[in-house]
Amino acid sequence: QQTIVVGVTGGIGAYKACELVRDLMRRGFRVKVVMTEAATRFVTPLTFRTLTGEPVATSLWADEPESKVHHISLAAEADVVVLAPCTANVIAKLAHGRADDMLTTTVLAAEAPVIVAPAMNTHMWRKDITVANVSALRARGFAFIEPGKGALACGDVGEGRLADPATIADAVEAE
């Protein structure tokens, strides 16, 4: 059974990651979730633990007796890593090789393909530095699923919405 590591970052689109996880599991994948601290403000680790039946990784400093170095073991287990939603902050960290939390250390240790599903405000998505960071990650082999267009949580309208969870699951399955 293939293992998909789903990385969830801190944005309102985090609630859609629950639907993504369920869809991936329906497709026969084993799913493990890694969350940033900010993501836990939107959806609790308990939600993902209940959906997957797997422990949820949230901290480099958690006592994880079943794993010698948890971010390394998660990275090694991953057949595909998908970041959904992925904030501008995490895109920037990865583009510059920063690894200061459980999610970024796991991604940087992974040899599996990484799929990024960004979600952020339209202005943030279009900002030159974000465009450059996305380009840098694409050049390094990261795959991107373009964000959707429509009404955003902040009231703006434009691109930046997390892509439909089924579209993300299709990309994972294709990988």
Side-chain angles (χ1 to χ4, degrees), residues 23-122:
D23 192 348
L24 291 169
M25 292 180 67
R26 276 193 296 271
R27 295 174 191 226
F29 296 109
R30 177 181 184 211
V31 177
K32 292 194 151 203
V33 176
V34 180
M35 302 176 75
T36 63
E37 183 181 339
T40 67
R41 302 288 185 122
F42 292 93
V43 180
T44 69
L46 177 60
T47 301
F48 289 112
R49 189 173 72 219
T50 302
L51 291 173
T52 64
E54 299 278 354
V56 175
T58 59
S59 173
L60 285 169
W61 314 114
D63 186 18
E64 303 286 350
E66 77 278 357
S67 174
K68 292 179 181 80
V69 182
H70 199 198
H71 64 281
I72 301 298
S73 64
L74 275 170
E77 285 184 84
D79 291 294
V80 176
V81 176
V82 59
L83 307 178
C86 191
T87 60
N89 181 49
V90 171
I91 289 170
K93 284 182 179 186
L94 293 172
H96 295 281
R98 288 201 53 211
D100 62 357
D101 61 21
M102 185 58 137
L103 178 59
T104 54
T105 56
T106 300
V107 173
L108 290 181
E111 294 188 17
V114 179
I115 299 171
V116 180
M120 66 196 74
N121 174 273
T122 298

Side-chain angles (χ1 to χ4, degrees), residues 20 24 82-84 115 117 145 162-173:
L20 172 62
L24 291 169
V82 59
L83 307 178
I115 299 171
I145 299 171
L162 181 64
D164 180 65
T167 301
I168 299 168
D170 289 345
V172 170
E173 192 168 42

